[in-house]
Amino acid sequence: MTLLSEAPAQTADVRISGLRKTYGSVVAVDSVDLEIARGEFFTMLGPSGSGKTTTLRMIAGFERPDAGSIELGGVDVSGLPPFDRDVNTVFQDYALFPHMNVQQNVEYGLRVKKVPKAERRLKAAEALRMVRLDGYGDRKPAQLSGGQRQRVALARAIVNTPRALLLDEPLGALDLKLRQELQIELKQIQQELGMTFVYVTHDQEEALTMSDRIAVFNDGRIEQVGTPAEMYEHPATEFVAGFIGTSNILSRDGRTFTVRPEKIRLGTDEGAQGEPGVITAAVYLGPVTKFIVALDGGGELTVVQQNLETSSEDVHEMERKRVRLAWSPDVEFVIQEEGR
Ligand code: ADP
Ligand code: MG
């Protein structure tokens, strides 16, 4: 795209090796290795306190690692201050200048870099068009909605055409519906720009919606890196299986495995097939119903069924009913096996 015309083609835009950061006795980030390709939408996903923000801040240069290195486009930037790194950061709180209008906010970074006025105007207009805010240049931040303010923050960052854009829970302050809309839009904008995005979230659905690849963080370390489908269908650890999607983990005959809720058939007790159990909860969710089933053989599974012909009254009557659960062996994904 026009905004990125000068950017050279590179394989790895961000490369992190052996990254470690401690605060006193707290190990915030430990042994983190990552390679993020040019143009990738890469997400760092994990629960609160798992080290995502600290990793992002080290890429940006706001924090110094205790060990390890950070390369941007093949150049080691570990010793450089934030302003000498070719990245921009978008935070959850918009951090716009309240006294400046939208146009001035977006132009700010270019003005600091002494870009001539005419060129600034042009680039800011292009950035505002990218975030679907043309015509809003004269407004003050206070005259915008939360979603619009976050778009301005995005425009203000992409106008600098950084090698990588770092985003720390940028949609975290917005309500669910707006967040879901902006997830789709943010991904479209990223694709139009062809810019590398490094995105932090604790929301697994958000990560699955937007990412080319995901790194799951747990306690300062990376558990697994992969595409959304790989993480969902082939979780490497119990933690990943539980964090991405519903935690449906069973141990049977020395094997521990997951079965995703939508892969399970729920039948009546009379059917001889499948594991017997009892429905302990049935939750009507509109298009689908979620059942929690306690199995006679131990353990509990969540089952999700489409409401093809089921009504909310039918669902209510199913609580406490005895049922059988069946699934094909190919949808079992083994996490641990005895003697292996
Ligand atoms: P996340 O973004 O995944 O929620 P953080 O990277 O913010 O996690 O934090 C990782 C760990 O480091 C947490 O235990 C947090 O309390 C700690 N931590 C982060 N920043 C600081 C700081 N400036 N001083 C002390 N501890 C910190
Ligand atoms: Mg954080």
Side-chain angles (χ1 to χ4, degrees):
M1 295 306 297
T2 48
L3 277 168
L4 279 177
S5 52
E6 303 114 305
Q10 281 281 348
T11 43
D13 254 356
V14 182
R15 182 181 289 125
I16 295 172
S17 326
L19 206 62
R20 180 180 164 88
K21 177 77 185 175
T22 56
Y23 297 102
S25 61
V26 176
V27 183
V29 172
D30 198 14
S31 312
V32 164
D33 299 308
L34 277 179
E35 209 168 292
I36 302 171
R38 159 119 289 213
E40 234 186 334
F41 197 122
F42 190 93
T43 298
M44 303 198 277
L45 171 69
S48 176
S50 59
K52 310 178 298 291
T53 293
T54 305
T55 302
L56 203 73
R57 288 174 60 82
M58 287 192 279
I59 299 173
F62 300 130
E63 300 283 351
R64 251 175 199 281
D66 296 340
S69 69
I70 294 160
E71 287 176 25
L72 296 175
V75 178
D76 191 331
V77 298
S78 307
L80 297 181
F83 51 84
D84 280 337
R85 299 187 185 195
D86 193 6
V87 294
N88 274 90
T89 311
V90 177
F91 301 99
Q92 183 183 115
D93 44 41
Y94 322 106
L96 299 176
F97 301 115
H99 58 286
M100 293 185 190
N101 68 23
V102 166
Q103 173 85 22
Q104 290 162 337
N105 263 286
V106 175
E107 279 185 25
Y108 179 79
L110 300 174
R111 225 173 68 207
V112 170
K113 283 194 246 168
K114 308 259 189 305
V115 174
K117 189 169 180 178
E119 192 182 333
R120 259 168 26 211
R121 277 283 136 85
L122 220 65
K123 287 194 164 168
E126 166 74 0
L128 284 170
R129 194 188 58 75
M130 285 303 301
V131 302
R132 288 81 159 139
L133 275 184
D134 2 34
Y136 284 77
D138 294 334
R139 296 222 196 161
K140 288 279 176 61
Q143 297 169 307
L144 300 173
S145 70
Q148 288 170 333
R149 266 178 246 164
Q150 203 50 308
R151 284 167 208 253
V152 176
L154 186 64
R156 200 176 58 170
I158 63 177
V159 78
N160 300 309
T161 61
R163 174 173 293 278
L165 190 64
L166 314 178
L167 304 103
D168 194 351
E169 314 244 5
L171 309 181
L174 308 174
D175 66 54
L176 180 64
K177 193 158 183 296
L178 186 59
R179 203 158 75 224
Q180 287 171 336
E181 283 168 19
L182 278 173
Q183 285 165 8
I184 310 266
E185 246 185 67
L186 207 56
K187 172 76 179 177
Q188 285 169 348
I189 292 169
Q190 185 266 342
Q191 283 175 326
E192 279 173 51
L193 286 167
M195 194 182 277
T196 307
F197 275 30
V198 185
Y199 194 95
V200 162
T201 183
H202 65 272
D203 180 340
Q204 50 113 355
E205 198 177 308
E206 187 160 295
L208 292 175
T209 303
M210 296 195 289
S211 316
D212 295 317
R213 284 192 308 149
I214 299 170
V216 171
F217 278 67
N218 178 25
D219 211 9
R221 291 169 174 269
I222 293 177
E223 293 261 332
Q224 187 178 3
V225 181
T227 65
E230 280 165 6
M231 308 294 267
Y232 188 72
E233 286 165 15
H234 304 291
T237 64
E238 196 164 329
F239 181 84
V240 174
F243 199 75
I244 297 189
T246 304
S247 171
N248 257 357
I249 295 170
L250 278 190
S251 290
R252 293 283 183 272
D253 312 320
R255 301 157 69 242
T256 302
F257 58 93
T258 67
V259 194
R260 294 303 184 183
E262 68 279 10
K263 307 284 191 200
I264 301 171
R265 286 186 305 277
L266 185 129
T268 56
D269 196 29
E270 285 86 68
Q273 295 290 310
E275 281 213 35
V278 63
I279 295 178
T280 56
V283 187
Y284 180 79
L285 295 170
V288 297
T289 295
K290 187 167 94 174
F291 299 97
I292 313 288
V293 178
L295 296 168
D296 296 354
E300 187 180 85
L301 286 180
T302 299
V303 183
V304 172
Q305 281 203 325
Q306 273 192 291
N307 289 329
L308 294 174
E309 277 146 21
T310 320
S311 71
S312 55
E313 288 90 49
D314 300 336
V315 167
H316 194 65
E317 283 173 15
M318 294 197 55
E319 285 193 2
R320 305 269 129 227
K321 286 257 157 69
R322 290 202 54 81
V323 288
R324 279 180 183 264
L325 301 187
W327 57 87
S328 148
D330 7 304
V331 302
E332 285 181 5
F333 189 74
V334 176
I335 293 170
Q336 250 173 27
E337 204 158 353
E338 253 170 40
R340 283 187 61 180

